[in-house]
Amino acid sequence: MSTADKTTRISMWSGPRNISTAMMRSFGNRSDCRGIDEPFYAYYLAETGLQHPMRDAVIASQPNSWREVISKLNGPPIPETELLYIKHMTHHILPEIDFENFLSHKNCFLIRDPRLVIASYAAKWDQISTDDIGIKRQLEIFNTLQDLSDDTPIVVEAEDILKDPQRMLPELCKLLEIPWQSQMLKWPAGRREEDGVWAEHWYASVNATTGFAPYQAKEVELTTDQELLLAAQMPYYEELQKHKIFA
């Protein structure tokens, strides 16, 4: 990274079926920010051979090498962009990726109750595993970044943001050491230039929004297999919760 590069890079580490795309909308609506959507997705599919929806289109849309992805993320400054908001899915980050490349970023972890994640994911795709949920990988990445640096990464809970975005988003900006902009609370409906090609399959709900949806407590029912999957996720989630804003 060039010493003249003044870009602040925010790496937001999330799992699927969170409010990660809404958060990308929120930051992307700032006057000083550009969003990047899941830059390691094509690499992940190419390496694992997994048959995700729109697999071929995803692989064709992005670099398939993690080193090339890093080179782009940490490359020359983008004109008129002070902030680069990078939305990561933690399960896309395979063990060979060198986390030293993220130490210059503002690292933040977006967590969500795994019961809600599992129910939402299962409604979109019937193949689901611990790796797909991404919470275990979130904790692994959190611990790795904490061990490599002198700083504890920021952890924020999706439900806390939905309950009070006017309180939580300014607090998050303060911790990220960036100025608060009120336009983070609202954005125009529809697709965005930064959306990945997979938006066609996954983003219908968020494309209809113009802001964070009012919080509603949800009661969900899981199958027996999904309850077993949930039990396996809870220790990782609870460990991350210990570090969240306003824990």
Side-chain angles (χ1 to χ4, degrees):
M1 201 180 306
S2 168
T3 56
D5 186 356
K6 303 298 184 182
T7 306
T8 297
R9 291 166 172 81
I10 300 169
S11 272
M12 182 65 79
W13 304 92
S14 179
R17 313 314 295 167
N18 203 329
I19 61 168
S20 58
T21 306
M23 289 291 285
M24 184 172 67
R25 292 281 188 274
S26 174
F27 275 85
N29 206 47
R30 293 175 60 105
S31 61
D32 56 0
C33 186
R34 176 183 173 185
I36 296 182
D37 195 10
E38 301 180 28
F40 292 94
Y41 195 7
Y43 151 77
Y44 170 74
L45 292 181
E47 287 293 314
T48 62
L50 290 171
Q51 298 298 314
H52 279 205
M54 301 185 69
R55 168 188 163 85
D56 292 343
V58 174
I59 288 177
S61 71
Q62 295 176 321
N64 291 186
S65 160
W66 71 263
R67 290 180 176 84
E68 187 176 348
V69 175
I70 288 289
S71 178
K72 289 181 178 294
L73 295 181
N74 288 348
I78 300 169
E80 300 181 3
T81 300
E82 297 176 27
L83 301 180
L84 201 61
Y85 182 87
I86 309 164
K87 171 194 161 192
H88 296 292
M89 290 290 107
T90 53
H91 59 293
H92 294 170
I93 312 301
L94 300 179
E96 65 178 337
I97 293 177
D98 184 357
F99 283 93
E100 293 278 351
N101 294 286
F102 298 101
L103 296 185
S104 62
H105 296 206
K106 304 281 189 180
N107 290 291
C108 185
F109 287 75
L110 179 65
I111 62 173
R112 189 188 186 198
D113 182 341
R115 176 177 290 275
L116 301 177
V117 174
I118 291 169
S120 180
Y121 196 103
K124 280 286 185 179
W125 200 36
D126 60 1
Q127 301 177 47
I128 185 169
S129 68
T130 290
D131 288 343
D132 294 321
I133 296 303
I135 296 171
K136 178 183 179 183
R137 189 62 175 140
Q138 268 190 308
L139 181 59
E140 291 171 349
I141 294 171
F142 176 91
N143 288 336
T144 298
L145 289 169
Q146 187 174 46
D147 289 345
L148 287 173
S149 70
D150 296 328
D151 298 323
T152 298
I154 299 164
V155 178
V156 63
E157 179 112 36
E159 281 74 25
D160 291 341
I161 291 175
L162 294 177
K163 288 175 183 177
D164 195 353
Q166 290 182 308
R167 176 193 183 208
M168 291 298 297
L169 291 174
E171 182 66 20
L172 177 57
C173 288
K174 180 180 177 181
L175 292 172
L176 290 167
E177 300 178 296
I178 62 174
W180 160 243
Q181 291 190 12
S182 61
Q183 55 263 49
M184 292 177 68
L185 293 169
K186 296 288 183 182
W187 53 84
R191 294 279 295 270
R192 292 292 179 279
E193 181 181 354
E194 63 264 27
D195 289 353
V197 297
W198 52 89
E200 179 182 339
H201 181 82
W202 296 103
Y203 292 179
S205 295
V206 76
N207 285 341
T209 67
T210 58
F212 291 98
Y215 174 76
Q216 293 182 331
K218 295 181 180 180
E219 293 292 332
V220 299
E221 293 186 7
L222 303 181
T223 67
T224 300
D225 287 345
Q226 289 168 352
E227 287 286 356
L228 292 173
L229 179 61
L230 172 66
Q233 309 311 305
M234 289 306 295
Y236 312 123
Y237 171 66
E238 290 168 354
E239 187 62 31
L240 285 164
Q241 272 198 314
K242 293 177 183 177
H243 302 278
K244 75 174 187 173
I245 301 174
F246 304 131

